[in-house]
Amino acid sequence: VAGAEQPRVDGAQHGVLVVLLVGPLYLMCRYRMKQPFSPVRKAMEEEDQSQQIGLIITRDQFPDNLIAPPRRRHPLEDGVNPVWDKELQAEIYGSGSLFVRIVIQFGVVAPLGAFLWVLSSAFRPESMPPHPEYPYFCFLIAYVMIVGPSLATTTFSQEREFHTMESLLLTLIPRRDIVLGKFLAILRVVGALTLLNMFLFFVVLFLSSHNLAQIPAVFLSVGSAAMYCVGLGMTLSMYCRTTVTATNSTYFIVFALFDGP
């Protein structure tokens, strides 16, 4: 008899636990549904700087202008790819600068661990490995693996979702200029963000092996990884139906190729 009653007691306990967990979530969702909601996200220039978290990006200051170039105050010059200009001026930052600011802050904090490890090894030369700057190769490649697809997988999928793909294709801009303009604009942002995080790499190189051949090596390895991630993200963005599918597929392929071996 005791064995038959025990499952009913456990079931009642589970039911009470589910109610305690789901009840507050239900009340929060119900309260949020009653609040006014605007699906239109503010652009970078429309953000309230007093409410921004952490860094503030200013287009007219260095090095912010490497990531977000200043607004164009004159007509577009001849020979300039209009898609390149549109992406850097409005498209990438059309939904605000929160993601880019979070990526910058993450990139500033993350390499401090490797830097402190190298700095601690500097006081113990006998235990220092031959090339303690190698962890920075892994960090920088992982950095472009995260940043590149997040920007590239929205290039064509969001054009379809916002119903602007037809308008873009009906322009007189050659198809190759559309693809190349988007690719170079995203690669510029990813490259500028990566360069901001390479300062500690040069400091570590100066403190450790003094092997200057590592400088072109890191540019070659990280640059090729960035080009591959951006190119793959744009390709899947063109063939996948939604941005979520393109993003998940790109991250799965990138992490399988880079982290699998």
Side-chain angles (χ1 to χ4, degrees):
V1 176
E5 293 179 353
Q6 186 65 27
R8 290 183 296 182
V9 175
D10 293 342
Q13 293 176 351
H14 289 308
V16 173
L17 182 61
V18 169
V19 171
L20 293 177
L21 293 177
V22 177
L25 297 177
Y26 168 75
L27 295 177
M28 292 172 58
C29 294
R30 185 176 178 181
Y31 172 78
R32 184 65 185 89
M33 292 294 293
K34 295 180 180 179
Q35 304 299 316
F37 175 73
S38 176
V40 180
R41 294 172 290 184
K42 294 184 178 180
M44 180 178 174
E45 287 75 14
E46 299 175 354
E47 292 179 333
D48 186 3
Q49 295 186 355
S50 61
Q51 297 181 358
Q52 290 184 1
I53 302 174
L55 299 175
I56 297 176
I57 298 179
T58 306
R59 287 182 179 269
D60 299 328
Q61 296 181 0
F62 180 84
D64 297 356
N65 52 11
L66 297 177
I67 304 169
R71 282 292 187 180
R72 178 167 46 85
R73 306 296 181 184
H74 51 79
L76 191 65
E77 298 178 359
D78 294 338
V80 178
N81 191 327
V83 178
W84 150 279
D85 184 78
K86 177 183 74 73
E87 291 288 328
L88 290 177
Q89 293 287 332
E91 195 69 25
I92 295 177
Y93 305 99
S95 302
S97 61
L98 177 61
F99 172 76
V100 177
R101 289 187 284 111
I102 292 177
V103 167
I104 294 174
Q105 295 172 81
F106 166 76
V108 171
V109 176
L112 289 178
F115 177 73
L116 294 176
W117 177 75
V118 174
L119 193 62
S120 63
S121 301
F123 295 101
R124 294 179 287 106
E126 68 281 356
S127 62
M128 178 180 290
H131 296 285
E133 67 275 4
Y134 280 175
Y136 275 89
F137 281 78
C138 301
F139 164 73
L140 292 173
I141 292 177
Y143 186 80
V144 301
M145 287 169 54
I146 296 173
V147 179
S150 62
L151 297 176
T153 52
T154 63
T155 50
F156 297 106
S157 58
Q158 284 193 354
E159 296 278 3
R160 288 195 300 268
E161 293 170 355
F162 295 157
H163 304 287
T164 56
M165 177 68 81
E166 294 80 5
S167 302
L168 183 63
L169 295 178
L170 289 175
T171 60
L172 298 178
I173 305 173
R175 305 292 175 85
R176 62 177 181 274
D177 290 344
I178 296 176
V179 176
L180 187 62
K182 289 177 174 290
F183 177 78
L184 294 178
I186 296 174
L187 195 63
R188 166 176 169 159
V189 176
V190 175
L193 292 173
T194 307
L195 284 175
L196 293 178
N197 299 314
M198 291 184 64
F199 172 74
L200 290 180
F201 173 80
F202 297 114
V203 176
V204 168
L205 193 64
F206 176 76
L207 293 177
S208 57
S209 62
H210 299 276
N211 187 4
L212 299 181
Q214 300 298 331
I215 296 178
V218 72
F219 275 100
L220 180 62
S221 59
V222 177
S224 58
M227 294 178 65
Y228 175 78
C229 293
V230 173
L232 178 64
M234 290 183 59
T235 303
L236 294 181
S237 176
M238 183 179 297
Y239 287 100
C240 294
R241 293 182 178 272
T242 62
T243 303
V244 176
T245 305
T247 303
N248 292 337
S249 303
T250 303
Y251 277 123
F252 177 81
I253 295 175
V254 166
F255 276 87
L257 291 177
F258 284 84
D259 294 342

